[in-house]
Amino acid sequence: MVRSNKPSAIGLGESIPQPTVDIKDNILNASLPTGESIVVHLYGATVTSWKTNGQEQLFLSQKAHLDGFKPIRGGIPLVFPVFGPPPQNHATSSLPQHGFARNSNWEFLGKSSSESAENPGEIAVKLDFGLSHTMLSEEFRKAWPYEFGLVYSVTLTRSALETALEVRNEGQQNFEFQVLMHTYLNIEDISNIRIQGLESKTYVDKTSNASSHTEESPAVAVTGETDRVYQGLDPATPIVVSSDEKPIFSVTRESLTDVVVWNPWIEKAKGMADFGPDEAYKNMICVEAGSVAAWQTLEAGDSWVGGQSIKSRL
Ligand SMILES: O=P(O)(O)OC[C@H]1O[C@H](O)[C@H](O)[C@@H](O)[C@@H]1O
């Protein structure tokens, strides 16, 4: 999205209402003058709420731990530097499933607001979060001893939620990483949901021995446990989630060519201690933009940026 670099109206004597940003107990609340809002926990830099028109767009388990005890079950946990259980004999082998970003304490780097170039008067707010090797627990630093810096930007506009991650290699050694924005979308009823934009793409089905398939459906329905890694997608082609044939979310990406579609369904939902209530699997679908089918190599001194933009209730 193109925005003007106009400075914030505050102090200029202009009357454009500005976003509000509060931080309390390591939780940030930001809202736009038009009413849209987000909540971000410094633990994991996890976005746990995104409201538009008074409606919650992200799913958060009622049993999610919000005290730093374990990664937050819901919202948008960030997966880095490994997706899933780490492979053996790899630099990430000693890390937990999905790495350390979602279970480390990030710092708030600051906020900025800007005016939409397309719709003057429409204000967006961007919150930046940082995590570097010096901030990791000793355990994580030992398990992945690279000198890195992450800057995660969460931008709330009137029509979208954008999340972007910059990965910097600040050391002398190259490193490999995977990244994923594990977005839990809030839905009314999984039986009415269809996902478009995946047809003819190859996917690995993690529920059946990582077997490889080609998606045949132009509108994928979720009728049982689903855990698929779709690969090699064009990031500019939106993944559209519809309910009762009405589009409710559209996800475009930048530099993220894989998309994971996950729903734990009945048994797995019951088996997760932090997932609740049991039937809540009907109210969520994870559409996760990432780069996970292969490894990104980042050379010493280089940086990489990837992100997603989610539009809701289109
Ligand atoms: O339980 P978690 O570690 O949060 O992982 C939750 C899920 O994340 C992704 O969607 C993976 O593809 C699934 O295999 C995994 O079950």
Side-chain angles (χ1 to χ4, degrees):
M1 173 175 283
V2 184
R3 293 201 192 86
S4 73
N5 285 328
K6 263 196 192 175
S8 152
I10 290 173
L12 294 181
E14 290 177 20
S15 58
I16 298 177
Q18 291 297 301
T20 57
V21 178
D22 298 312
I23 179 161
K24 199 175 164 236
D25 299 332
N26 296 324
I27 299 171
L28 276 102
N29 282 272
S31 39
L32 298 182
T34 36
E36 297 77 14
S37 64
I38 49 172
V39 178
V40 188
H41 287 238
L42 287 186
Y43 181 67
T46 314
V47 181
T48 54
S49 167
W50 169 35
K51 285 189 183 154
T52 64
N53 294 324
Q55 278 186 322
E56 181 57 62
Q57 308 298 337
L58 298 178
F59 169 84
L60 179 64
S61 162
Q62 285 178 18
K63 292 190 187 165
H65 291 277
L66 299 175
D67 54 2
F69 173 69
K70 61 176 292 189
I72 296 173
R73 174 75 59 202
I76 314 182
L78 248 190
V79 169
F80 176 91
V82 59
F83 167 66
Q88 286 179 348
N89 305 317
H90 187 265
T92 56
S93 294
S94 308
L95 289 174
Q97 156 134 321
H98 294 341
F100 54 70
R102 64 177 183 162
N103 34 8
S104 293
N105 291 306
W106 291 59
E107 64 178 330
F108 177 46
L109 300 175
K111 59 171 178 172
S112 53
S113 50
S114 57
E115 194 177 338
S116 159
E118 299 114 56
N119 302 308
E122 219 173 275
I123 301 292
V125 65
K126 176 161 85 76
L127 309 177
D128 289 325
F129 301 88
L131 182 71
S132 66
H133 54 106
T134 55
M135 293 163 65
L136 291 186
S137 66
E138 209 186 317
E139 182 198 342
F140 288 152
R141 218 171 32 235
K142 269 197 192 144
W144 204 71
Y146 298 96
E147 293 179 26
F148 71 93
L150 301 181
V151 177
Y152 184 51
S153 302
V154 179
T155 304
L156 175 65
T157 76
R158 210 172 160 191
S159 57
L161 175 65
E162 299 165 9
T163 61
L165 185 71
E166 179 182 358
V167 183
R168 300 178 187 159
N169 186 341
E170 296 173 349
Q172 308 297 323
Q173 273 177 289
N174 298 353
F175 62 71
E176 290 187 321
F177 69 93
Q178 297 176 326
V179 64
L180 177 98
M181 295 166 184
H182 196 303
T183 308
Y184 288 75
L185 299 172
N186 194 22
I187 54 170
E188 270 169 28
D189 185 351
I190 190 75
S191 63
N192 297 332
I193 293 296
R194 299 290 180 275
I195 306 165
Q196 286 159 289
L198 302 168
E199 191 180 10
S200 79
K201 298 300 169 194
T202 303
Y203 67 89
V204 168
D205 187 347
K206 290 173 75 178
T207 67
S208 77
N209 287 326
S211 51
S212 201
H213 305 264
T214 300
E215 183 57 67
E216 281 165 14
S217 174
V220 177
V222 176
T223 54
E225 187 195 347
T226 301
D227 192 356
R228 299 178 178 181
V229 184
Y230 289 89
Q231 307 177 354
L233 310 187
D234 173 4
T237 303
I239 302 295
V240 177
V241 178
S242 304
S243 180
D244 272 333
E245 293 177 20
K246 256 184 59 193
I248 53 170
F249 294 104
S250 162
V251 186
T252 46
R253 291 87 57 215
E254 192 190 311
S255 301
L256 299 176
T257 53
D258 306 319
V259 166
V260 178
V261 175
W262 181 63
N263 184 293
W265 214 248
I266 302 167
E267 293 310 319
K268 278 257 165 78
K270 278 191 194 149
M272 286 187 281
D274 62 349
F275 190 94
D278 284 353
E279 311 73 51
Y281 74 91
K282 293 177 187 161
N283 308 124
M284 55 143 293
I285 180 73
C286 282
V287 174
E288 314 162 17
S291 172
V292 295
W295 295 90
Q296 296 278 348
T297 301
L298 200 58
E299 297 192 359
D302 277 1
S303 63
W304 172 97
V305 179
Q308 66 172 351
S309 171
I310 315 170
K311 287 191 160 57
S312 79
R313 316 290 152 179
L314 311 153

